[in-house]
Amino acid sequence: MGELVKGRVESSLPGLRGIVADDKDQEHALVTREGPTKGDAEIDQLYAEAEDKRLSKTSLLLDVLNISNVLTDGVSAMVDDSFNKCFTSTRPEPWNWNIYLFPIWVVGVVIRYLVLFPIRVTLLFIGFNTLIVVFLLVDLTLMPSKRKMAMQRKLVQWMCSAWVAAWHGVIRYHGPKPTPGKNRIWVSNHTSMIDYVVLCSYSPFAVIMQLHHGWIAFLQKRILSSLGCLWFNRTEVNDRAVVAARMKDHVNKEDAIPLLIFPEGTCVNNEYTVMFKRGAFDIGATVCPVAIKYNKIFVDAFWNSRREAFGKHLFRLMTSWALVCDVYFLEPQSIQPEESPQEFAGRVQAMIAKYANLRIVPWDGYLKYYNLGEKNPGLIEKRRRVLADVLRAYLGKTSAAPSAIALEKEGKAAVELQSDGKGQKGEVEGVALQGWRKLCVGGTVHPV
Amino acid sequence: MGQAASGGLTQGDVDEVIAASKGVFNQAEIESLYKRFRALDRGHKGYISPEEFLSIPELSINPVAQRLVRCCECPNFTTFVKMVAPFSPRASREDKLVFMFTVYDVDGDGFISREDMSMMLKQLAGSSLSEEDRQDIISRVLAQAGGAERLDFPAFKSALSSADLGNMVVEIPVDL
């Protein structure tokens, strides 16, 4: 997955294809391998400058009627876009296509589905259920005590190991094993729910997870809660303060079990990484990064929750030869004096991206669920204002710097324009929520 | 080559689509566009709804996103390909101009009237351009483009005769 795709160089400003960009000019890159380089205001400014470059400013007819650039941007995004690339799995080239290899492949399939799979399922069934029973026994019979907690943690660790064995996991752990410590929080890139299992079978963690449905919910509530796992709903996550308070609470406990956060907020395909949310970086704790890289040689561990049910995902894992994975425990990082939490998040993301060989993409993972234009009408307005200024120049009027009130009015007007007058009032946060709710209702949006 | 065109695309379909788009795409590009269409069409309904288009972040920050998306109401695959066709490197200048004209002609009556231009300018230049200035601009444009009250396609074409449309090309990513 390189930068050049058949001679096409990716523009450094997402969504702006029509311009002749100085792509080699690293200064303009929004995100380099070292992390995000620009703040929001600067990014808006870059877009405005790019728009300005595209206008002729000499011919009124051209500037008004020649919409080729903006149309090219639009259609280009329809055909391919960098956000979508984060959630696609590339299908491996079939290698079984000749008379010699095909029978071997068939034998392989037979073994995997008819021999390995039943064995694994049986062992898993026995092992896992035994452990659950023991766990519930311990839970119900013993009084809360340090020993009980230690036993429960050990049991959960064994349960996860049982699962890893069921997938025939070949996992290499690099770096020092995590030890619980006050005011520490662990962050990792996210590919699938099995990330948690892979980590937990080595060293127990608590997580903040989306509460699911069905049998997973039972597991989550009954067993993982004992580890101190925290649950949320995506609606509640918008209330950053609540989650932040819970996190702070947890890391300040004396013998707190290490808390693991997935700052991307959603499963990504292990080739890219989307924006790290700053929540975990904002609570004043030391951040211990973990990088997880799956080797796709036998199976692709990415769980595309919109294409695949979790059960099917597990089935796929259990009918492949092995699950190969590298886990890197990296050096703990603290926030530097002049760093903002977002910059801190970016720096840690760059570290993880380097070890796990991921490309950083400047989009928010939650974009899967709502419309960026609605959430950030300021950017569109800035771009529009560039043309407005040029047109006013033709009329002989110079543009005055807009007042704060005028800007706010423009922002609201922009939101109305973008939503085609569907009457979305309120602040930007409210708009985002409504946009997401709008997509949720009547759609099959999986929580992850 | 590559894997079989996924789910439901037959050679007959491909031929039909190639014909409908005047042959600007080859087979590999059609297959690639089909994959993209399937990825965007989340419910596998056979068409792409405006919300699905606008969930593409790079499209949603486009000033004329709304117009583009409404321009082709819920396209099925053939319509989708026809929409992308003018952006193929093999498309003619005429095709590109026709597409631009279709987008600009909001009410679809074959003429770009004052109302059409007003709507487009609202999307292009936003609300920082006052109504009065907007009407002023429109008057000037109409005057410079031949003096009629509305633009037909030949007038539009000649107004853009000096425009370089070489950038109006979108490359379809094709896996080999």
Side-chain angles (χ1 to χ4, degrees):
Chain A
M1 216 111 348
E3 230 115 331
L4 269 98
V5 180
K6 277 197 67 174
R8 172 175 69 122
V9 181
E10 284 198 29
S11 169
S12 44
L13 284 177
L16 236 65
R17 298 286 166 123
I19 57 168
V20 183
D22 334 309
D23 287 311
K24 298 192 186 69
D25 185 354
Q26 275 292 68
E27 237 180 69
H28 282 306
L30 277 189
V31 180
T32 62
R33 280 218 160 239
E34 277 68 50
T37 54
K38 312 271 183 213
D40 279 349
E42 280 184 84
I43 293 179
D44 287 357
Q45 189 55 32
L46 281 177
Y47 273 94
E49 280 170 22
E51 287 283 357
D52 193 69
K53 259 201 261 193
R54 307 208 288 195
L55 295 170
S56 78
K57 295 182 237 181
T58 46
S59 158
L60 175 64
L61 279 186
L62 284 187
D63 285 341
V64 169
L65 295 177
N66 185 0
I67 49 174
S68 63
N69 281 318
V70 79
L71 289 186
T72 314
D73 295 343
V75 173
S76 173
M78 285 181 178
V79 165
D80 191 19
D81 73 287
S82 62
F83 183 68
N84 207 52
K85 286 214 262 277
C86 302
F87 304 99
T88 50
S89 14
T90 45
R91 290 223 219 110
E93 273 295 312
W95 55 270
N96 57 355
W97 46 267
N98 76 6
I99 192 142
Y100 165 64
L101 293 173
F102 189 70
I104 299 184
W105 179 72
V106 171
V107 170
V109 168
V110 166
I111 297 183
R112 277 189 289 133
Y113 280 78
L114 298 180
V115 175
L116 283 184
F117 180 63
I119 296 181
R120 286 172 178 171
V121 170
T122 328
L123 284 180
L124 180 66
F125 194 70
I126 301 176
F128 194 63
N129 285 346
T130 321
L131 288 170
I132 289 199
V133 166
V134 173
F135 184 93
L136 289 172
L137 270 175
V138 167
D139 200 25
L140 296 168
T141 54
L142 289 186
M143 286 292 110
S145 70
K146 265 200 149 149
R147 203 173 63 125
K148 174 181 180 186
M149 279 208 336
M151 278 185 71
Q152 287 182 318
R153 285 179 199 182
K154 228 7 182 191
L155 282 171
V156 173
Q157 205 175 325
W158 284 340
M159 280 194 255
C160 290
S161 306
W163 277 101
V164 170
W167 304 319
H168 197 108
V170 177
I171 309 183
R172 280 182 303 195
Y173 298 93
H174 310 258
K177 189 162 175 173
T179 42
K182 199 151 174 212
N183 215 25
R184 281 170 170 234
I185 192 165
W186 278 255
V187 303
S188 164
N189 59 313
H190 199 26
T191 306
S192 162
M193 288 257 286
I194 65 174
D195 290 340
Y196 176 64
V197 176
V198 159
L199 287 177
C200 225
S201 65
Y202 183 65
S203 162
F205 282 100
V207 271
I208 297 193
M209 263 206 257
Q210 171 78 23
L211 195 56
H212 285 265
H213 313 288
W215 57 277
I216 311 182
F218 169 73
L219 284 179
Q220 288 180 317
K221 282 194 274 216
R222 246 359 226 150
I223 300 181
L224 296 178
S225 295
S226 73
L227 281 178
C229 290
L230 311 169
W231 309 114
F232 72 82
N233 248 323
R234 278 221 165 72
T235 38
E236 226 183 294
V237 145
N238 280 328
D239 190 353
R240 268 199 206 138
V242 169
V243 179
R246 285 200 212 156
M247 282 199 278
K248 258 205 172 110
D249 226 18
H250 185 107
V251 300
N252 279 325
K253 283 199 226 143
E254 229 352 284
D255 55 353
I257 187 172
L259 178 62
L260 176 68
I261 306 280
F262 296 109
E264 287 167 309
T266 188
C267 292
V268 186
N269 70 358
N270 213 229
E271 300 287 338
Y272 290 84
T273 169
V274 295
M275 199 176 90
F276 271 27
K277 296 192 199 332
R278 50 176 258 233
F281 302 88
D282 211 358
I283 57 176
T286 317
V287 169
C288 312
V290 181
I292 307 181
K293 181 72 176 179
Y294 292 92
N295 188 331
K296 295 195 198 317
I297 183 171
F298 293 120
V299 73
D300 186 347
F302 168 51
W303 176 38
N304 189 338
S305 57
R306 284 192 300 203
R307 295 234 170 252
E308 219 177 19
F310 190 55
K312 179 150 183 260
H313 174 62
L314 286 182
F315 179 72
R316 203 162 45 86
L317 289 175
M318 293 216 280
T319 53
S320 39
W321 290 112
L323 174 77
V324 183
C325 173
D326 280 286
V327 177
Y328 301 89
F329 294 104
L330 304 174
E331 190 187 332
Q333 303 288 316
S334 312
I335 189 167
Q336 302 296 318
E338 278 108 41
E339 235 180 4
S340 74
Q342 190 63 54
E343 288 166 350
F344 182 33
R347 185 162 61 86
V348 170
Q349 184 186 31
M351 276 177 76
I352 294 182
K354 199 165 86 155
Y355 276 87
N357 198 17
L358 305 169
R359 263 204 81 197
I360 303 175
V361 157
W363 303 109
D364 181 338
Y366 279 179
L367 280 173
K368 260 203 226 167
Y369 306 106
Y370 57 66
N371 175 327
L372 174 63
E374 279 178 10
K375 195 189 180 218
N376 188 12
L379 175 57
I380 304 175
E381 268 314 292
K382 277 229 172 72
R383 291 173 69 174
R384 286 180 170 150
R385 187 151 343 108
V386 173
L387 178 62
D389 289 343
V390 166
L391 291 181
R392 260 196 294 267
Y394 284 112
L395 297 176
K397 300 183 180 176
T398 50
S399 49
S403 67
I405 305 174
L407 271 176
E408 201 192 304
K409 257 195 355 206
E410 269 177 44
K412 290 214 173 101
V415 168
E416 275 175 31
L417 261 181
Q418 277 303 96
S419 62
D420 223 19
K422 284 203 181 93
Q424 297 198 325
K425 302 172 205 116
E427 302 171 35
V428 177
E429 288 290 337
V431 169
L433 192 55
Q434 287 198 334
W436 173 63
R437 278 231 174 89
K438 197 166 59 142
L439 282 177
C440 242
V441 170
T444 49
V445 176
H446 280 265
V448 173
Chain B
M1 258 293 244
Q3 66 267 40
S6 41
L9 190 70
T10 66
Q11 187 60 43
D13 293 332
V14 174
D15 293 337
E16 195 186 300
V17 169
I18 290 183
S21 57
K22 298 198 230 168
V24 294
F25 291 125
N26 61 34
Q27 176 124 347
E29 287 170 333
I30 300 280
E31 286 178 21
S32 179
L33 281 172
Y34 190 68
K35 263 199 328 200
R36 174 65 170 171
F37 182 82
R38 296 270 296 186
L40 289 175
D41 173 19
R42 279 186 224 139
H44 294 321
K45 319 178 285 304
Y47 64 87
I48 305 177
S49 68
E51 285 84 31
E52 284 164 350
F53 270 129
L54 290 173
S55 71
I56 305 171
E58 285 164 8
L59 179 57
S60 71
I61 57 171
N62 191 306
V64 297
Q66 286 290 334
R67 173 71 195 127
L68 250 187
V69 154
R70 310 272 169 211
C71 187
C72 46
E73 285 295 329
C74 294
N76 59 19
F77 181 53
T78 314
T79 318
F80 180 66
V81 173
K82 276 164 77 170
M83 184 172 66
V84 182
F87 294 86
S88 158
R90 292 172 216 103
S92 66
R93 188 186 164 87
E94 183 86 1
D95 292 334
K96 297 185 202 287
L97 286 167
V98 167
F99 183 73
M100 285 167 61
F101 186 81
T102 319
V103 171
Y104 226 110
D105 178 14
V106 179
D107 54 18
D109 62 355
F111 296 94
I112 298 181
S113 60
R114 297 194 84 112
E115 291 75 33
D116 291 338
M117 289 185 66
S118 181
M119 289 222 50
M120 281 304 288
L121 276 175
K122 277 200 198 123
Q123 297 233 330
L124 288 165
S127 50
S128 66
L129 193 65
S130 70
E131 182 62 35
E132 184 196 322
D133 285 343
R134 202 169 17 243
Q135 291 304 323
D136 207 346
I137 294 278
I138 295 175
S139 306
R140 291 193 189 204
V141 168
L142 288 173
Q144 285 185 26
E149 254 312 287
R150 49 190 193 165
L151 295 175
D152 59 0
F153 181 63
F156 183 75
K157 191 165 149 186
S158 78
L160 290 179
S161 57
S162 60
D164 172 20
L165 299 181
N167 271 340
M168 198 164 156
V169 166
V170 166
E171 200 175 309
I172 320 283
V174 169
D175 329 300
L176 281 170

